[in-house]
């Protein structure tokens, strides 16, 4: 086990717990967990957490209880990209001032990531179009599918932003996905797809592998069995990502051999 990473999601989780009026009873809450990776202590994956760097940023809008859930995968994005990931609790009428400041920051070009099947077709794009002097900022709506739809439809401060829709079946990382359908992608998988769309293929691959290892061990813990045979293969695949990656064109345009 390693110290709990100091990143936006963990800080939000700590704050959310501090203002809670009663204990949060998550599924599997009685399982002794590593505080850093939220897996069973005997299956801690902290030693395999990648260290990644990305040109893109992520802004997680999290539904009320989402930061508290050990199964939350938005946290996995912040695990590997702590310097370029922000997290805020969602509010329809009182968005956090830090969120509004981030959306106005001239360094960033925000995109709301949401499926093309939803409304606002005029705002839809399937490409990340470079804007001179700006870096892409991907806004991920982190919650259940009904919660994400509610956040998309009832956040007026997002209404003027372009909506990025990804097609996972066209991306090289799609073959490693756990969910069989596009609308079942979890937050971390969406982020991995979006990174590839933005040209940061290797970073997306590292995040996808970290999610796969976490998911495999988390599901094994739910049924009290050892992780499957894929665990060793995932560890091996993560080895190239265990030291900080250089931000250069080669990393963003190719995958490791």
């Amino acid at each position: 086990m390693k110290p709990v990473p100091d990143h936006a999601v963990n800080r939000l989780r700590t704050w959310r717990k501090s203002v809670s009026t009663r204990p949060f009873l998550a599924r599997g809450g009685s399982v002794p967990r590593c505080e850093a990776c939220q897996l069973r202590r005997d299956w801690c994956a902290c030693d395999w957490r990648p260290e990644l760097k990305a040109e893109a940023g992520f802004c997680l809008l999290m539904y009320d209880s989402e930061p508290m859930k050990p199964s939350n995968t938005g946290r996995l994005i912040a695990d590997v990209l702590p310097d370029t990931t922000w997290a805020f609790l969602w509010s329809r009428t009182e968005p956090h001032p830090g969120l509004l400041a981030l959306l106005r920051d001239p360094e960033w070009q925000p995109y709301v990531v949401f499926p093309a099947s939803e409304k606002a077709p005029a705002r839809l794009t399937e490409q990340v179009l470079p804007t001179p002097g700006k870096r892409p900022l991907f806004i991920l709506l982190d919650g259940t599918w009904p919660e994400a739809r509610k956040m998309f439809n009832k956040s007026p401060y997002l209404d003027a932003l372009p909506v990025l829709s990804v097609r996972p079946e066209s991306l090289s990382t799609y073959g490693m996905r756990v969910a069989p359908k596009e609308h079942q992608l979890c937050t971390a998988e969406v982020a991995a797809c979006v990174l590839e769309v933005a040209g940061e293929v290797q970073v997306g691959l590292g995040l996808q592998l970290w999610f796969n290892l976490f998911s495999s061990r988390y599901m094994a813990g739910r049924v009290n069995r050892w992780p499957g045979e894929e665990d060793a293969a995932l560890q091996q695949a993560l080895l190239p990502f265990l030291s900080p990656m250089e931000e250069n064109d080669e990393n963003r345009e190719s995958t490791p051999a």
Side-chain angles (χ1 to χ4, degrees):
M1 291 186 292
K2 293 184 177 180
V4 177
D6 181 20
H7 58 57
V9 176
N10 283 340
R11 291 193 293 270
L12 183 59
R13 180 173 181 265
T14 298
W15 176 84
R16 181 63 183 82
K17 289 173 67 176
S18 74
V19 300
S20 180
T21 57
R22 58 183 179 178
F24 177 71
L25 302 177
R27 179 183 297 179
S30 61
V31 175
R33 296 186 182 278
C34 168
E35 282 296 314
C37 69
Q38 292 296 303
L39 292 168
R40 279 181 52 156
R41 287 177 186 166
D42 48 349
W43 297 340
C44 169
C46 288
D47 287 341
W48 301 99
R49 183 171 64 240
E51 301 176 45
L52 308 178
K53 298 290 183 182
E55 181 71 12
F58 287 94
C59 176
L60 298 169
L61 269 185
M62 308 184 81
Y63 213 75
D64 182 60
S65 63
E66 205 62 36
M68 313 273 278
K69 298 177 181 178
S71 60
N72 174 264
T73 69
R75 173 177 49 82
L76 304 182
I77 305 168
D79 277 348
V80 302
L81 294 168
D83 297 332
T84 50
T85 301
W86 291 263
F88 303 94
L89 286 185
W90 176 76
S91 172
R92 179 178 64 86
T93 59
E94 299 181 0
H96 193 285
L99 167 63
L100 298 180
L102 179 63
L103 297 181
R104 294 192 299 264
D105 190 327
E107 179 181 359
W108 299 102
Q109 170 57 60
Y111 292 85
V112 181
V113 181
F114 211 69
S117 59
E118 296 296 323
K119 67 176 187 179
R123 295 164 58 197
L124 285 175
T125 179
E126 294 185 358
Q127 296 178 305
V128 177
L129 303 175
T131 302
K134 290 182 178 286
R135 300 161 65 184
L137 176 71
F138 301 117
I139 301 167
L140 303 179
L141 308 178
D142 195 11
T144 64
W145 179 242
E147 291 168 350
R149 185 185 293 113
K150 179 179 179 180
M151 288 189 279
F152 181 76
N153 290 328
K154 297 188 176 184
S155 301
Y157 44 91
L158 302 179
D159 285 349
L161 301 178
V163 177
L164 177 66
S165 173
V166 296
R167 297 180 180 274
E169 67 272 15
S170 68
L171 305 176
S172 65
T173 54
Y174 180 79
M176 295 185 297
R177 290 203 302 111
V178 174
K181 296 181 181 179
E182 179 177 350
H183 74 274
Q184 293 176 335
L185 285 170
C186 71
T187 304
E189 290 179 294
V190 170
C193 289
V194 164
L195 283 165
E196 185 171 336
V197 170
E200 303 200 64
V201 178
Q202 191 173 5
V203 184
L205 179 58
L207 173 58
Q208 180 72 55
L209 290 168
W210 174 234
F211 163 77
N212 286 357
L213 182 67
F214 172 84
S215 178
S216 174
R217 292 192 175 193
Y218 189 91
M219 296 304 294
R222 286 183 60 180
V223 295
N224 197 31
R225 63 168 174 81
W226 290 104
E229 295 180 358
E230 72 277 7
D231 199 79
L234 287 170
Q235 292 179 26
Q236 185 66 31
L238 279 164
L239 281 175
F241 299 95
L242 297 185
S243 59
M245 292 166 50
E246 296 294 330
E247 292 186 88
N248 55 43
D249 292 340
E250 180 180 355
N251 283 339
R252 289 194 290 270
E253 295 176 0
S254 62
T255 57

